[in-house]
Amino acid sequence: MRKLVAGVALLTAAPAMAQDVEPDGPDIVVTAGKPLNLDAKVLRAGQRRFAEDRGALAPGGALRFELWRGRSRIPAATVPITLRNEAGQTVPVAIDGDGRIAFGDLPKGRWFLTAPAQSQGMSLRPVVLSAGTSPTDRRLGDLRLQCRVMLSMAKAQASLLAMPLMGLLDAIGGCESKRVHMFHRAEQALASATAVTSSGTQALELSKRGDAYLAPLNDRTMGNDVRVKIAYR
């Protein structure tokens, strides 16, 4: 079986796993000119997986969500984003000091994360960061948990046509399968990406565009406290 390149676009219509294309995810993508209207069940699925696996992978980790426009991350406070139910009631969305969305307990019932239509395409992605880390200095356990959260969110909104693919991912071991390659996009063009272990450093593969790196999620010789460091050009 060919390796699956997990540049996953979690499309609001149907998630898709790219196999032989440049990675460009994982994202929940909103097409330009269309409003964001994401069912909160997708967010709850991510929160549940985070809570289940946090103790093993990222005991000091926090789950946040980033907004991206094109290939640039944007502060969430610059977009009028809110939680809204079918009755039109709204709940404000908390944003941390780094411009990332920080959900607490989501209200019960049918709620949706909404934002007005944007002139450019916008995307939402989960990120797990432990205290003392940053996007340029990550724990491998945080990256492993982030991947699991992303796949749980994908399953929560998968169409019937996409479910066999989700089942295939589970069957081969999910994020930590040797047949799955998970690229993580950086906020700027990369000069390098390395995994720092007790025995030295290991260079990590960069994407063709030079704005994403291949995290060694499936390398069982690397513990969760191994640091993955990137340097911008």
Side-chain angles (χ1 to χ4, degrees), residues 163-182:
M163 288 308 295
L165 178 57
M166 295 300 168
L168 172 61
L169 280 171
D170 285 338
I172 66 175
C175 293
E176 284 134 62
S177 167
K178 292 184 178 180
R179 288 183 250 178
V180 173
H181 279 184
M182 174 59 69

Side-chain angles (χ1 to χ4, degrees), residues 29 38 43 67 75 87 103 109 112 116 119 127 143 163 169 199 211 219:
V29 178
L38 178 66
L43 301 171
L67 282 179
F103 291 111
F112 300 85
S119 59
V127 58
L143 289 166
M163 288 308 295
L169 280 171
S199 58
D211 60 355
D219 191 334

